[in-house]
């Protein structure tokens, strides 16, 4: 996956789909929110991917690297 290619190890991946009109042309308020979310995810080593669904609607996929387990004594 994307995280392994960039040296992050295992990823948590969450995809959310809807049955709306798809991405089409996003309104400015949506674009600003998406840019903010993508920026925060990137700062955490993750990413946001947006695409139109196969049967309509849109799919938003969030990928974040998992933290390594910390061993305690």
């Amino acid at each position: 996956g994307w995280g392994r290619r960039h040296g992050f190890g295992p990823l948590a991946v969450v995809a959310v789909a809807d049955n709306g009109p798809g991405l089409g042309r996003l309104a400015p308020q949506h674009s600003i929110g998406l840019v903010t979310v993508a920026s925060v995810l990137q700062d955490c080593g993750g990413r946001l991917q947006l695409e139109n669904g196969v049967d309509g609607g849109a799919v938003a996929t969030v990928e974040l690297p998992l933290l390594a387990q910390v061993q305690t004594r």
Side-chain angles (χ1 to χ4, degrees), residues 33-61:
L34 291 171
V35 167
T36 301
V37 168
S39 177
V40 169
L41 289 170
Q42 187 175 20
D43 288 347
C44 296
R47 76 174 181 166
L48 171 66
Q49 181 177 339
L50 300 172
E51 57 191 353
N52 285 307
V54 175
D55 296 321
V59 180
T61 303

Side-chain angles (χ1 to χ4, degrees), residues 2 5 9 12 15-16 18 23 29 31 42 56 59 61 69-71:
W2 179 85
R5 287 195 308 268
V16 179
D18 68 17
L23 295 175
Q29 65 269 23
S31 298
Q42 187 175 20
V59 180
T61 303
Q69 285 186 327
V70 176
Q71 292 192 359

